[in-house]
Amino acid sequence: MKNVLVAYWSSTGNTETMAREVAEGAKAAGAEVTLKPVADVTGEMVKTAAAVAFGCPAMGSEVLEESEVEPFIAGLSRKELEGKAVGLFGSYDWGDGQWMRDWVERMKGTGAKVEGEGVITQLVPDEEALKKCGELGKRLAG
């Protein structure tokens, strides 16, 4: 059974809702899933997972959350991510999703195999966004 780690940060609950849907999609595809806030995730957990989904909303001028997520992502080494299937997701309030495009490129730069272009939604995830999150989980579990 493939193990999938879903790590997220959420201030309003929108990205947490997306994280739960990614986890459910992976479980439905037969994966063993660990769902945790990024503050409770270690580099070793990332390294030992078969696939990882990271969730973070856009903050400030379309950047990752700066007190927990940014330091965590910056602290991950190439050896933890290279060749690993990685999915990205998050919500935003303003802008056009630049933070996600930047994050996708950043993860590709680590050698990670990024699934798609990230799942984003404006504010509260609607049915379509939740469906995409579930599909992301299934792809990561496959």
Side-chain angles (χ1 to χ4, degrees):
M1 181 181 299
K2 195 170 187 179
N3 62 328
V4 176
L5 171 63
V6 181
Y8 68 93
W9 185 92
S10 185
S11 66
T12 64
N14 294 337
T15 301
E16 181 177 5
T17 298
M18 296 174 80
R20 291 185 185 288
E21 198 64 30
V22 171
E24 287 303 313
K27 284 179 189 174
E32 178 182 313
V33 177
T34 302
L35 173 68
K36 289 191 175 286
V38 74
D40 298 335
V41 175
T42 65
E44 185 63 22
M45 292 169 78
V46 172
K47 183 179 178 182
T48 59
V52 182
F54 294 116
C56 182
M59 304 295 286
S61 59
E62 290 203 81
V63 296
L64 297 177
E65 188 277 328
E66 297 174 306
S67 66
E68 291 182 34
V69 178
E70 177 56 39
F72 177 76
I73 296 296
L76 292 174
S77 69
R78 189 171 187 88
K79 71 178 180 175
E80 292 158 333
L81 293 169
E82 190 168 29
K84 187 172 301 291
V86 171
L88 303 174
F89 62 93
S91 62
Y92 66 100
D93 186 7
W94 58 90
D96 68 353
Q98 186 61 48
W99 105 100
M100 184 59 71
R101 291 188 296 276
D102 293 344
W103 199 9
V104 166
E105 288 308 309
R106 183 177 181 185
M107 290 293 97
K108 286 180 178 177
T110 68
K113 295 178 183 175
V114 179
E115 290 288 330
E117 296 302 313
V119 177
I120 64 172
T121 189
Q122 190 170 24
L123 299 172
V124 178
D126 60 14
E127 189 175 313
E128 181 182 342
L130 293 176
K131 180 180 176 187
K132 288 179 181 178
C133 288
E135 290 168 355
L136 174 62
K138 287 176 184 174
R139 288 194 312 272
L140 291 171

